[in-house]
Amino acid sequence: MRRRRSSFRKEKAIMLASSCLILTALTVTGLYVRNLGKEEEPEENVVDFTALEDEEESLTMLGSQTGDQADEQAAGDVASADGQAMEDEASADGQAMQEQDAAGGPDGANTDLADAADAENTAAGEAALMEEAQLDGAPQDDLPQEEAGLEEGELAEADGEEALAANASDAVVKSENAGEEDADAMSASTLLDFTDSDTLVWPIVGNVLVNYSMDKTVYFATLDQYKYSPAIVIAATEGEEITAAADGQVTDVYQDPETGTTVVMNLGDGYELTYGQLTDLSVAVGDMVVTGDPVGKVAAPTMYYSVEGTNVYFKLTKDGVPVDPMSRLG
């Protein structure tokens, strides 16, 4: 590249020198011709080629000197440019080296990373060696303790499994017993039979204070109003025993604001008996009751029957529909 520049500059200098030489020759020729035109004597119009030759030689020498000076100047410019480029490169290299030194340099960064990786590997190796040493130096009694802990855990788990198995077996037995009881209850309920021709016995001997009436209203003294009556209210003495009016099974026992403690019995074929105003019950839900068995005792009347006095609430239903008990009482 530098050789091309040098040769180009030399050719440029030669062309400039040649142009100057040609211009000079033309100028001199023009001046000479003009001077010849001014002269009056025709004999003086002879051209002195000797002078022209001398002048041409002088111009040639001048052109060569000018070309040499141009070549020297071009060479100096090239050398100056080369020196400037070398200085710029050296400055750039020096600056790059300074930046690399300041930042640690690529090689320095790689070295630092490698050193950091070696340090981490060394630390990891030391930690592993320490763990191995701790394991080697640990008391041998710890292993049996761990094994004992495992054995205790296994025994506890086995005990838990046995307890679960026992509970499961108990649950199975209870469910079987409950199933048997339910089956017995179902069989007993299927044995209950109360036809339309069967009669009832009086649960207690006494006068009827309020009659059954579902076709018209009757007067309730305590409430001082007329309303329908789905049952009969029998006068009784507090504490007197109440007996079952028919064979049946106790299906429900509940508390009612109007009838107090109340017992419901299934008689079969859709018939049910309801006893109210009771206390000190002799039966519970699920019990099978035979006619004449004690059911409970007469309680003090609720506030709904405070005027009527102590009584027994007695109701008969068929498929949930009230039936007049007086029509079935013997």
Side-chain angles (χ1 to χ4, degrees), residues 101-215:
D101 293 336
D107 296 334
N110 294 331
T111 303
D112 294 338
L113 291 174
D115 293 338
D118 294 336
E120 291 179 357
N121 293 330
T122 303
E126 291 177 357
L129 291 175
M130 291 178 66
E131 290 179 358
E132 291 179 359
Q134 291 177 358
L135 291 175
D136 294 337
Q140 297 297 324
D141 295 338
D142 293 341
L143 295 176
Q145 291 178 0
E146 293 179 356
E147 293 178 355
L150 291 175
E151 292 178 356
E152 291 178 358
E154 292 176 354
L155 291 174
E157 185 177 0
D159 293 338
E161 292 178 354
E162 291 177 357
L164 290 174
N167 292 332
S169 62
D170 292 340
V172 170
V173 171
K174 289 180 180 179
S175 63
E176 290 178 352
N177 293 333
E180 291 177 357
E181 291 177 357
D182 294 339
D184 294 340
M186 290 178 64
S187 61
S189 62
T190 54
L191 294 176
L192 294 175
D193 185 18
F194 189 82
T195 64
D196 295 338
S197 60
D198 290 337
T199 60
L200 300 173
V201 297
W202 287 83
I204 195 171
V205 178
N207 297 324
V208 176
L209 300 176
V210 179
N211 288 313
Y212 169 88
S213 179
M214 292 299 293
D215 55 350

Side-chain angles (χ1 to χ4, degrees), residues 7-329:
S7 60
F8 177 72
R9 290 177 180 177
K10 287 181 180 180
E11 290 177 359
K12 184 177 181 181
I14 293 171
M15 290 177 66
L16 291 173
S18 300
S19 300
C20 292
L21 180 60
I22 293 171
L23 290 173
T24 303
L26 291 175
T27 303
V28 172
T29 303
L31 292 173
Y32 181 75
V33 172
R34 188 180 65 180
N35 290 330
L36 288 178
K38 289 182 180 181
E39 292 181 356
E40 294 180 354
E41 295 179 356
E43 57 272 7
E44 293 180 0
N45 293 331
V46 179
V47 178
D48 189 359
F49 292 102
T50 304
L52 289 173
E53 291 175 359
D54 294 335
E55 189 174 1
E56 184 176 359
E57 289 177 1
S58 63
L59 292 172
T60 303
M61 292 177 65
L62 179 61
S64 62
Q65 292 177 1
T66 303
D68 293 336
Q69 292 177 359
D71 293 336
E72 291 176 359
Q73 186 177 2
D77 294 337
V78 171
S80 178
D82 294 337
Q84 184 67 29
M86 292 179 66
E87 289 178 359
D88 294 337
E89 291 178 358
S91 177
D93 294 336
Q95 186 175 2
M97 292 179 66
Q98 290 178 0
E99 292 177 356
Q100 290 179 0
D101 293 336
D107 296 334
N110 294 331
T111 303
D112 294 338
L113 291 174
D115 293 338
D118 294 336
E120 291 179 357
N121 293 330
T122 303
E126 291 177 357
L129 291 175
M130 291 178 66
E131 290 179 358
E132 291 179 359
Q134 291 177 358
L135 291 175
D136 294 337
Q140 297 297 324
D141 295 338
D142 293 341
L143 295 176
Q145 291 178 0
E146 293 179 356
E147 293 178 355
L150 291 175
E151 292 178 356
E152 291 178 358
E154 292 176 354
L155 291 174
E157 185 177 0
D159 293 338
E161 292 178 354
E162 291 177 357
L164 290 174
N167 292 332
S169 62
D170 292 340
V172 170
V173 171
K174 289 180 180 179
S175 63
E176 290 178 352
N177 293 333
E180 291 177 357
E181 291 177 357
D182 294 339
D184 294 340
M186 290 178 64
S187 61
S189 62
T190 54
L191 294 176
L192 294 175
D193 185 18
F194 189 82
T195 64
D196 295 338
S197 60
D198 290 337
T199 60
L200 300 173
V201 297
W202 287 83
I204 195 171
V205 178
N207 297 324
V208 176
L209 300 176
V210 179
N211 288 313
Y212 169 88
S213 179
M214 292 299 293
D215 55 350
K216 61 180 179 179
T217 59
V218 293
Y219 182 71
F220 284 81
T222 303
L223 300 177
D224 192 19
Q225 65 179 8
Y226 289 86
K227 67 174 187 175
Y228 293 104
S229 177
I232 61 173
V233 177
I234 306 171
T237 303
E238 186 175 348
E240 189 177 358
E241 188 176 64
I242 302 171
T243 58
D247 297 343
Q249 183 181 22
V250 179
T251 57
D252 194 9
V253 176
Y254 62 91
Q255 292 290 329
D256 186 81
E258 182 177 355
T259 60
T261 302
T262 306
V263 175
V264 180
M265 291 186 186
N266 177 24
L267 305 183
D269 298 326
Y271 283 96
E272 285 185 339
L273 273 178
T274 301
Y275 304 84
Q277 307 283 355
L278 304 182
T279 187
D280 297 334
L281 296 181
S282 303
V283 295
V285 175
D287 290 348
M288 297 298 298
V289 180
V290 179
T291 303
D293 286 347
V295 176
K297 293 182 179 181
V298 178
T302 63
M303 61 181 181
Y304 287 85
Y305 296 95
S306 60
V307 175
E308 285 83 359
T310 307
N311 64 86
V312 174
Y313 181 87
F314 188 66
K315 181 173 73 173
L316 176 66
T317 59
K318 164 69 172 176
D319 297 328
V321 178
V323 177
D324 186 2
M326 297 297 291
S327 63
R328 310 300 292 271
L329 284 171

